[in-house]
Amino acid sequence: MTKSCYLSIFLALFSTFWLCVNSHFDYKDALTKSIIFLEAQRSGKLPPDHRPPWRGDSALDDGKEAGVDLVGGYYDAGDNVKYGFPMAFTVTTMAWAAYFYEHEIKDAGELNNLLAGIRWGTDYFLKASLQQNRLFVQVGDPKMDHQCWMKPECMKTPRTVLEINQNRPGTEVAAETAAALAASSIVFRKVDHAYAETLVSRAKMLFQFAEEHQGTFDGACPFYCSHSGYNDELLWGASWLYIATKDPLYLQYVNEESTSAVVNEFSWDLKYAGAQVLLSQLYWEGQKELHMFQQQADGYICAVHPDSPYRQPFMTPGGLIHFRDGANSQYVTSTAFLFSVYSDLLARHNVQVICGEKTLTHTDLMCFAKQEMNYLLGHNPAHRSIMVGFGHNPPLHAHHRGASIPVTAKTEDVTCGMSFALWFNTDAPNPNELTGAILGGPDRADVFIDSRMNSSYTEPCTYINSLAIGVLAKLAHKAKHHEL
């Protein structure tokens, strides 16, 4: 082997080590701002302690046309539609962060803010699921909404409602909503026991609906099509319900009736890896009948970690995991979160992951999780942050209606066509800082274009940030106590 080859190998190894050990950010600030972004996505009557100063009340008549109260909840991204499927996943993953990293989030002073954010979602789901075998899963007309660039406080497009029921089932969204309510009931049990019981009772009802009336949900296509089917949501929902209730019927469902598979992705559409990591915790705590799920969680790690001989996802030259253009950051934060949780479980139980001839320790997993988060915060080839309002040279042109339209803008006589000319097709920075939003992110070549018109780079999503909360809290805690 030539000297240049030895040098290249040494530099590659040193570079990986440096990425893990020496790149530090103000993770506590990033955590706080991540939660502030989620507050900016709230719909409905905003509370007095609402932090984004440029947001106001919106959609106060939602559900009126169907004779129900659907005020509240979250807008998913840069538009003004409330999609129940990704909203539920956002809340489930917020609750998972609060459940697994409660100490770290509390140490950062953000637990109350996170619980308020979770409750903003669960209050909405309770409204949307008042009747048995009926769940309202969308508010707004996606086609009309995407033809108008108007902030939510002044939107003029229809607030059409979409529901699922026993004649028009939607197992994915019903089971995901059950998961959100069950997971949230765990974190509220200490602070509001009665509310926690309400949440878990409704979660049981929704899971029964999902199981008894099975059918693929396609109402949000082409924006949120379920490509993976609903078996992953049924496993996910049953897992959270078992943890929330300890009812052996849910454990029996997980072991005997559910379907599972080794995958390399965790997302709003594909939950297998999340359920497997969740169930691995129970396995190592003594429930040995869940061994298969722990083995599958190992399989997920081996399918993703860049040092594994079985690694599948593409890695950019700068070290970012890349699944697809368009909100790719969601796969970055989801990977970092699962790797962070699994790293803690490995450390807690003194075990490792074996990928062929490669052994991965808890340190290896956390090193990768930290590398991915650091990339988003600014340690990347462009030397810029992908989080609005954080770090060096952060984005200024988020693809987001509310952030891009001045608070003082007169919108009464503005048509939908004019709205794009005035506020979308401009090079001017957004007048309102969408603090904490982790945007869609760079492409496969590490190129990031800060342009409102390039939504694949600059559109934020609630579930990008919800998945960042837990790992940022862990990194902030370790930095505070000089453990990094």
Side-chain angles (χ1 to χ4, degrees):
M1 187 178 291
T2 66
K3 288 184 179 179
S4 61
C5 288
Y6 279 118
L7 180 61
S8 297
I9 293 172
F10 171 78
L11 288 174
L13 291 172
F14 179 79
S15 175
T16 300
F17 177 80
W18 184 77
L19 277 169
C20 184
V21 177
N22 292 329
S23 301
H24 299 315
F25 295 91
D26 187 343
Y27 298 113
K28 182 179 180 296
D29 185 47
L31 169 63
T32 296
K33 288 176 175 176
S34 287
I35 297 172
I36 289 175
F37 162 69
L38 291 169
E39 293 180 16
Q41 294 301 103
R42 290 179 180 178
S43 179
K45 180 72 175 176
L46 301 180
D49 59 353
H50 189 72
R51 288 182 286 186
W54 47 273
R55 277 301 323 278
D57 300 340
S58 63
L60 298 181
D61 290 327
D62 275 3
K64 192 173 183 180
E65 71 168 53
V68 291
D69 176 8
L70 296 177
V71 177
Y74 287 95
Y75 304 114
D76 72 305
D79 54 21
N80 298 327
V81 181
K82 295 192 304 200
Y83 296 99
F85 194 20
M87 190 195 305
F89 180 67
T90 296
V91 172
T92 308
T93 48
M94 290 168 72
W96 193 0
Y99 161 65
F100 197 84
Y101 287 115
E102 177 185 6
H103 173 69
E104 290 83 354
I105 295 169
K106 190 173 184 179
D107 187 49
E110 289 298 332
L111 185 60
N112 288 338
N113 288 325
L114 179 57
L115 291 178
I118 295 168
R119 188 160 187 156
W120 195 265
T122 53
D123 281 352
Y124 174 79
F125 293 135
L126 291 176
K127 292 180 180 181
S129 60
L130 281 172
Q131 293 178 275
Q132 192 167 6
N133 296 336
R134 189 186 194 195
L135 175 66
F136 289 94
V137 296
Q138 184 175 299
V139 184
D141 183 321
K143 184 176 180 182
M144 295 293 290
D145 181 84
H146 284 80
Q147 293 175 1
C148 204
W149 193 263
M150 197 69 72
K151 59 186 178 180
E153 293 84 355
C154 305
M155 58 183 163
K156 304 172 182 178
T157 47
R159 301 303 289 169
T160 311
V161 299
L162 179 65
E163 68 173 88
I164 57 171
N165 51 51
Q166 57 191 7
N167 297 317
R168 187 187 182 186
T171 301
E172 292 94 338
V173 65
E176 181 60 63
T177 308
L181 294 172
S184 300
S185 75
I186 300 169
V187 299
F188 281 111
R189 196 162 289 149
K190 294 179 183 178
V191 296
D192 191 339
H193 187 79
Y195 187 66
E197 289 302 306
T198 298
L199 296 179
V200 80
S201 175
R202 194 65 58 84
K204 291 177 181 179
M205 186 180 83
L206 284 168
F207 186 79
Q208 183 179 0
F209 171 40
E211 185 188 6
E212 292 181 353
H213 301 281
Q214 295 188 15
T216 293
F217 171 66
D218 60 3
C221 275
F223 302 100
Y224 286 103
C225 308
S226 177
H227 298 289
S228 67
Y230 51 73
N231 286 317
D232 55 321
E233 278 83 20
L234 287 170
L235 171 62
W236 179 240
S239 300
W240 277 113
L241 272 162
Y242 177 66
I243 295 172
T245 66
K246 294 299 185 285
D247 187 333
L249 287 175
Y250 295 111
L251 183 62
Q252 180 182 356
Y253 184 90
V254 168
N255 281 318
E256 299 178 13
E257 299 179 55
S258 69
T259 299
S260 190
V262 175
V263 295
N264 64 13
E265 171 191 320
F266 178 50
S267 67
W268 60 264
D269 184 34
L270 187 57
K271 319 290 167 49
Y272 286 129
Q276 291 153 8
V277 169
L278 194 63
L279 294 170
S280 294
Q281 181 175 352
L282 300 181
Y283 165 75
W284 278 313
E285 290 173 353
Q287 298 195 226
K288 298 305 179 185
E289 70 271 31
L290 297 171
H291 187 216
M292 179 191 76
F293 298 102
Q294 184 272 315
Q295 290 179 312
Q296 291 177 329
D298 274 5
Y300 163 75
I301 298 297
C302 291
V304 175
H305 196 283
D307 292 340
S308 167
Y310 309 123
R311 190 256 296 175
Q312 297 171 10
F314 178 81
M315 299 292 294
T316 71
L320 187 73
I321 194 167
H322 193 282
F323 281 87
R324 50 190 68 92
D325 289 332
N328 182 68
S329 291
Q330 67 179 295
Y331 309 109
V332 181
T333 57
S334 69
T335 300
F337 179 67
L338 288 194
F339 269 65
S340 180
V341 170
Y342 211 62
S343 168
D344 285 341
L345 295 176
L346 294 180
R348 191 179 300 170
H349 300 282
N350 194 28
V351 289
Q352 300 172 327
V353 178
I354 309 298
C355 306
E357 297 180 356
K358 179 66 178 179
T359 299
L360 298 174
T361 67
H362 70 92
T363 303
D364 294 324
L365 269 61
M366 194 58 215
C367 176
F368 180 54
K370 181 184 174 186
Q371 171 190 310
E372 296 304 282
M373 293 307 299
N374 282 350
Y375 186 110
L376 296 177
L377 297 179
H379 191 81
N380 52 56
H383 304 291
R384 67 176 305 165
S385 171
I386 309 299
M387 176 185 279
V388 176
F390 178 89
H392 175 68
N393 192 22
L396 300 176
H397 303 83
H399 180 94
H400 189 275
R401 288 160 172 75
S404 64
I405 302 173
V407 174
T408 57
K410 302 296 183 182
T411 61
E412 293 83 358
D413 299 322
V414 176
T415 64
C416 285
M418 289 172 60
S419 69
F420 282 93
L422 288 171
W423 302 304
F424 178 72
N425 298 312
T426 74
D427 295 326
N430 287 344
N432 309 311
E433 183 184 272
L434 192 62
T435 305
I438 302 173
L439 304 188
D443 61 21
R444 292 167 63 94
D446 295 304
V447 174
F448 177 75
I449 301 174
D450 184 16
S451 166
R452 194 178 302 112
M453 290 170 276
N454 286 278
S455 61
S456 65
Y457 297 101
T458 58
E459 187 162 20
C461 300
T462 55
Y463 39 88
I464 299 177
N465 277 63
S466 65
L467 286 158
I469 290 170
V471 64
L472 286 173
K474 178 179 175 180
L475 289 169
H477 182 78
K478 287 187 171 294
K480 179 180 178 180
H481 297 281
H482 308 291
E483 297 175 6
L484 286 174

